[in-house]
Amino acid sequence: MTATAPAAEATVRKSSPGAARGPRRRTGRLRRVGLPYLLLLPALLLELLVHLVPMVIGIVMSFKELTQFYIRDWSTAPWAGLDNYSVSVDFDAPVGKALLHSFLVTVAFTVLSVGLCWLIGTAAAVFMQDTFRGRGLLRALFLVPYALPVYAAVITWVFMFQHDNGLVNHVLHDQLGFTDKPSFWLIGDNSFVALLTVSVWKGWPFAFLIVMAGLQNIPRELYEAAALDGAGMVQQLRRITLPSLRPVNQVLVLVLFLWTFNDFNTPYVLFGKSAPEAADLVSVHIYQASFVTWNFGTGSAMSVLLLLFLLVVTGVHLALTSRGRRTAQ
């Protein structure tokens, strides 16, 4: 009896393949589910190292009285509490008044830049929908400003905006006679126009690329039916193109807003460490408050305030777009 029991159990195991396949199936399922997360782990760790850790350190620094005397060991800087924030938002004091001016300049610059980028990009994308000879070459030329490195492109504009031998003054003053004398584009009030020009030149190809991709999803039958009903180009644009591009434009405007409001490379390369008052963007202002005056605590507090403002704007934008999507459905 005892000798035949193990043989009977082995016979039962062989006769029931589900009992053996069960653990294998669970192991295979765990591998299929866990493998994507395992592949994402290096990117998540790198994201944590590059973005989240400096962000946390910057928030901690905003609560400290961190100056050039504590750079060697910033953890020994005395605790300032909310003093850095109160100084930054005190708009009657010089620091707060300068930050408010920089904020208003950045808002005006961002609204104009995003609006012009969207307008030019959308017009170019709609124009490129028609088939004509050389369309592919023209599309490639439109994307050149977006493909060029930022520093190379902005440095080229610096030479073009030179007062004595720049191409802009040569065309506007010498060739066309629009100005009485050559203008200073990198100082004074004209610096805002120069910064806006470079930003729009650099940013509209991205809007063109996104809108052009969104236009590919609009059925051509809608335009053909509208043309048969007597709708002109303007009516087709209002009734078909823009409503169909609404989801694309919602994301595009948000991305352009965040990129433009946080832009540091363009004004820094265009004007250097000290931007003119008319083109004093928040990003450059925070850099000056941190690395020029060596007041890293106040600069960190300004950065945190900027982060909170962008989070609020993004949250409001997402809430409004979600509500509009639900209403449309």
Side-chain angles (χ1 to χ4, degrees):
M1 295 294 293
T2 57
T4 57
E9 293 178 359
T11 303
V12 172
R13 291 195 188 98
K14 291 181 181 180
S15 61
S16 58
R21 293 177 182 175
R24 293 180 181 178
R25 288 179 179 177
R26 286 194 295 269
T27 304
R29 190 180 301 111
L30 289 175
R31 289 179 179 177
R32 288 195 301 271
V33 173
L35 182 59
Y37 295 99
L38 184 62
L39 295 176
L40 287 175
L41 185 60
L44 293 176
L45 292 177
L46 186 62
E47 179 74 15
L48 179 67
L49 181 64
V50 173
H51 291 285
L52 295 182
V53 173
M55 184 184 301
V56 173
I57 294 176
I59 294 175
V60 174
M61 289 170 57
S62 66
F63 294 101
K64 287 180 171 291
E65 190 179 346
L66 184 58
T67 59
Q68 68 268 30
F69 303 106
Y70 302 98
I71 292 178
R72 176 171 297 182
D73 189 5
W74 65 272
S75 60
T76 60
W79 191 260
L82 297 177
D83 292 344
N84 293 324
Y85 292 92
S86 61
V87 169
S88 301
V89 298
D90 186 6
F91 301 135
D92 294 329
V95 176
K97 187 180 297 184
L99 181 61
L100 178 61
H101 173 267
S102 178
F103 175 78
L104 295 177
V105 170
T106 308
V107 170
F109 164 74
T110 303
V111 171
L112 291 175
S113 179
V114 172
L116 290 175
C117 286
W118 177 85
L119 182 62
I120 298 174
T122 302
V126 172
F127 173 73
M128 285 296 167
Q129 287 301 106
D130 296 332
T131 303
F132 56 90
R133 181 176 296 179
R135 184 178 66 168
L137 177 61
L138 199 56
R139 283 180 175 179
L141 291 177
F142 281 174
L143 294 177
V144 168
Y146 180 68
L148 284 176
V150 176
Y151 288 93
V154 178
I155 288 175
T156 304
W157 276 101
V158 170
F159 286 107
M160 293 172 62
F161 280 129
Q162 292 298 317
H163 176 264
D164 297 326
N165 53 4
L167 180 62
V168 176
N169 280 334
H170 176 71
V171 173
L172 295 180
H173 176 68
D174 299 338
Q175 299 294 330
L176 301 179
F178 286 164
T179 58
D180 297 334
K181 57 182 179 180
S183 303
F184 290 94
W185 292 101
L186 300 180
I187 58 176
D189 295 336
N190 289 333
S191 59
F192 183 84
V193 179
L195 179 61
L196 181 63
T197 302
V198 177
S199 178
V200 173
W201 178 85
K202 185 170 59 70
W204 79 264
F206 176 76
F208 162 72
L209 185 64
I210 300 301
V211 174
M212 187 174 61
L215 289 174
Q216 306 302 318
N217 296 325
I218 303 177
R220 301 300 302 176
E221 291 80 6
L222 295 178
Y223 294 100
E224 295 173 0
L228 292 176
D229 292 338
M233 181 178 179
V234 177
Q235 291 180 336
Q236 293 179 14
L237 182 65
R238 290 181 54 190
R239 302 297 182 181
I240 299 176
T241 305
L242 293 181
S244 301
L245 289 176
R246 185 174 300 167
V248 176
N249 286 329
Q250 289 172 353
V251 178
L252 174 62
V253 170
L254 178 61
V255 172
L256 286 176
F257 173 82
L258 295 177
W259 283 0
T260 307
F261 209 95
N262 280 322
D263 190 11
F264 173 79
N265 295 329
T266 302
Y268 182 79
V269 179
L270 198 61
F271 304 115
K273 295 182 179 180
S274 58
E277 186 177 0
D280 185 21
L281 300 186
V282 170
S283 57
V284 181
H285 188 84
I286 293 175
Y287 169 81
Q288 293 175 349
S290 301
F291 295 96
V292 177
T293 62
W294 298 93
N295 198 338
F296 294 96
T298 305
S300 300
M302 294 179 181
S303 300
V304 175
L305 292 174
L306 175 61
L307 174 63
L308 294 177
F309 170 76
L310 295 179
L311 288 177
V312 170
V313 173
T314 303
V316 171
H317 177 82
L318 294 178
L320 293 177
T321 54
S322 300
R323 184 192 305 176
R325 194 178 301 113
R326 289 194 300 267
T327 304
Q329 293 177 353

